Amino acid sequence: MTTDTTSRRGELLRIAARLFAEKGFKNTTVRDIADAAGILSGSLYHHFDSKESMVDEILSSFQDELFGRYDEVLSSDADARAKIDAAVRISFETIDSHGHEVAIFQNDADYLGGFDRFGYLAERNVQSRQVWMTLLTEGIESGALRRDLDIELVYRFIRDTVWVAVRWYRPGGELSHHDVADQYLTILLDGIAAG
Amino acid sequence: MTTDTTSRRGELLRIAARLFAEKGFKNTTVRDIADAAGILSGSLYHHFDSKESMVDEILSSFQDELFGRYDEVLSSDADARAKIDAAVRISFETIDSHGHEVAIFQNDADYLGGFDRFGYLAERNVQSRQVWMTLLTEGIESGALRRDLDIELVYRFIRDTVWVAVRWYRPGGELSHHDVADQYLTILLDGIAAG
DNA sequence: CACCCTACCAAGCACTTGCTTGGTAGGGCT
DNA sequence: AGCCCTACCAAGCAAGTGCTTGGTAGGGTG
């Protein structure tokens, strides 16, 4: 046999991530994961402490990567509109490259947040809000964005719309993540009304 | 005792709907529902065939009501923009008045759709798409909406954004559903960019 | 009074769940 | 050859799951 030992663990995590994304964390059993990997459920515990620690590893490494990219945008010296543009594009790129992780976060963060070990999920939410509020405030003060909107609502609008696309976006489909981001930014910035 | 016999069933359904919305269908046990109602789990089966039939009843009656309202808008003689406006407002009103049902549909439709008895969920999705594509096509042809957008994408953005608000909107909070709809329609139609 | 009906209880069954335990195959290293 | 290490198997346990069964309290109706 000799499956590459260094990657077997990662392979199991990828399999688990796919199932968690498709069926939800609670609704995915360790036997589901083991079946998909061609082993028995008990054998998973040679690699991982628990089902929770699997999803923990999946989500935490994903979040670290994502917020690293946000930080790059925040600290860049582009103008407000360009930064908002960049932050939106990061989201759609992430849905393209890490769709499973995004789906798990979207669907199961509420449930997982109830456990101590997933406290960082709530922290990341706060952090995400700060990123966007900074960008939007910058946009309004620089005159790039209109002043007559509720900034809190605009934030929620963007956050929800951007991430919920994971429900229908499929990598390799007709529309690339660039296409989707282009269209979304057009709607967000200029609206769907004529003239 | 003598709890009003005609409403006891409905009361149990309301309790179940709240729990399904808060914790998800699969993650809500019949013991959770019974506890919240102050009875034993087995006693639920005097009123309902199964846990599935509870959520079935909750969702189907809700869907009937919702699509009845869409039909009214479609068959009205208002202009395209007014119809889109009305359809969006229906959604936020529904989130206000039937938040639990909307949440269940948003979170568990995928899972429930796997069972035969919930085939109407997929049908309703098709129907919803038709409603919106009709409205958007009408809007473009009448000149109310711009022609340079992917209509399929516009539909998805509207659908997702409108319903995902159930995640944060709370009836009786600072913002009424009218406020939210106003702001949302402004963003959707005219965008967030200045002048 | 006798009877019925609604709403419930008490107990438990069959199954699924996450996880544990003791053991094994087989490649690599000395 | 002897040994270790990684990856896995085989079996099963305790808790939790949806649901069933036989029974009961108590108000309403004839």
Side-chain angles (χ1 to χ4, degrees):
Chain A
M1 274 300 289
T2 326
T3 323
D4 186 344
T5 60
T6 59
S7 77
R8 182 53 170 160
R9 194 186 154 85
E11 194 182 339
L12 292 173
L13 279 182
R14 277 193 298 278
I15 290 169
R18 179 173 57 80
L19 290 170
F20 289 155
E22 284 171 2
K23 314 181 29 167
F25 174 74
K26 193 81 193 298
N27 196 28
T28 301
T29 71
V30 293
R31 282 170 181 82
D32 288 337
I33 301 169
D35 283 353
I39 59 178
L40 292 183
S41 66
S43 303
L44 284 174
Y45 292 84
H46 169 70
H47 300 277
F48 307 99
D49 282 344
S50 65
K51 185 178 142 184
E52 270 178 41
S53 76
M54 290 189 221
V55 78
D56 191 352
E57 223 167 296
I58 291 166
L59 285 181
S60 61
S61 67
F62 156 69
Q63 298 260 37
D64 291 345
E65 190 179 332
L66 175 61
F67 281 86
R69 300 201 57 186
Y70 278 144
D71 285 343
E72 282 176 32
V73 170
L74 273 179
S75 61
S76 81
D77 54 0
D79 65 23
R81 179 148 174 166
K83 285 187 186 174
I84 291 173
D85 186 286
V88 166
R89 288 182 191 282
I90 285 176
S91 303
F92 288 111
E93 275 173 40
T94 303
I95 289 175
D96 182 75
S97 63
H98 293 78
H100 295 330
E101 289 86 341
V102 173
I104 296 169
F105 184 69
Q106 286 293 295
N107 297 327
D108 294 311
D110 264 15
Y111 171 73
L112 295 173
F115 301 92
D116 285 347
R117 73 188 302 170
F118 292 102
Y120 64 88
L121 293 178
E123 289 169 30
R124 289 301 199 184
N125 263 333
V126 170
Q127 193 181 348
S128 162
R129 187 174 175 284
Q130 281 169 346
V131 169
W132 277 105
M133 293 302 262
T134 302
L135 293 180
L136 292 174
T137 305
E138 224 176 287
I140 289 174
E141 284 172 1
S142 73
L145 302 184
R146 49 200 288 185
R147 320 185 85 91
D148 63 336
L149 292 171
D150 182 325
I151 191 173
E152 178 72 33
L153 267 185
V154 173
Y155 158 64
R156 290 178 192 165
F157 178 95
I158 294 175
R159 174 199 59 186
D160 291 345
T161 319
V162 153
W163 292 120
V164 83
V166 74
R167 294 198 177 187
W168 53 262
Y169 177 82
R170 292 293 167 265
E174 222 173 292
L175 294 163
S176 72
H177 64 89
H178 292 109
D179 297 333
V180 177
D182 286 345
Q183 294 264 330
Y184 174 66
L185 280 164
T186 304
I187 298 174
L188 175 69
L189 292 166
D190 301 323
I192 67 173
Chain B
M1 276 297 286
T2 328
T3 324
D4 185 346
T5 58
T6 58
S7 76
R8 183 53 168 161
R9 196 186 151 85
E11 195 182 336
L12 293 173
L13 279 181
R14 278 192 298 276
I15 290 169
R18 179 173 57 79
L19 291 170
F20 289 156
E22 285 170 0
K23 315 179 31 165
F25 174 73
K26 193 82 192 298
N27 195 30
T28 300
T29 71
V30 292
R31 283 170 181 80
D32 288 337
I33 301 169
D35 283 353
I39 59 179
L40 292 182
S41 67
S43 304
L44 284 173
Y45 292 83
H46 170 69
H47 300 277
F48 307 98
D49 284 344
S50 64
K51 184 177 142 184
E52 270 178 41
S53 77
M54 291 188 220
V55 78
D56 191 352
E57 225 168 297
I58 291 166
L59 285 181
S60 61
S61 67
F62 156 70
Q63 299 260 38
D64 290 346
E65 191 179 330
L66 175 61
F67 280 86
R69 301 200 58 186
Y70 279 145
D71 285 343
E72 282 176 32
V73 170
L74 273 180
S75 62
S76 81
D77 54 0
D79 65 22
R81 178 146 175 169
K83 284 187 187 175
I84 290 172
D85 186 285
V88 166
R89 288 182 191 283
I90 284 176
S91 303
F92 288 110
E93 275 173 41
T94 303
I95 289 175
D96 182 75
S97 63
H98 293 78
H100 294 330
E101 289 85 343
V102 174
I104 296 168
F105 184 69
Q106 285 293 296
N107 298 328
D108 295 312
D110 264 14
Y111 170 72
L112 295 172
F115 300 93
D116 284 347
R117 73 187 302 171
F118 292 102
Y120 63 90
L121 293 177
E123 289 169 29
R124 290 302 199 182
N125 263 332
V126 171
Q127 193 181 346
S128 161
R129 187 174 176 285
Q130 281 168 344
V131 168
W132 277 105
M133 293 303 263
T134 302
L135 292 179
L136 292 174
T137 306
E138 225 176 285
I140 289 172
E141 284 172 0
S142 72
L145 302 184
R146 50 200 288 185
R147 320 185 86 92
D148 62 335
L149 293 171
D150 183 323
I151 190 173
E152 179 73 33
L153 266 185
V154 172
Y155 158 66
R156 289 179 191 166
F157 280 134
I158 293 177
R159 174 198 62 186
D160 291 345
T161 317
V162 152
W163 291 120
V164 84
V166 75
R167 293 196 177 189
W168 53 263
Y169 177 82
R170 291 296 167 262
E174 222 173 293
L175 294 163
S176 72
H177 64 89
H178 293 109
D179 297 333
V180 177
D182 286 345
Q183 294 264 332
Y184 173 67
L185 281 164
T186 303
I187 298 174
L188 175 68
L189 290 166
D190 301 324
I192 67 172

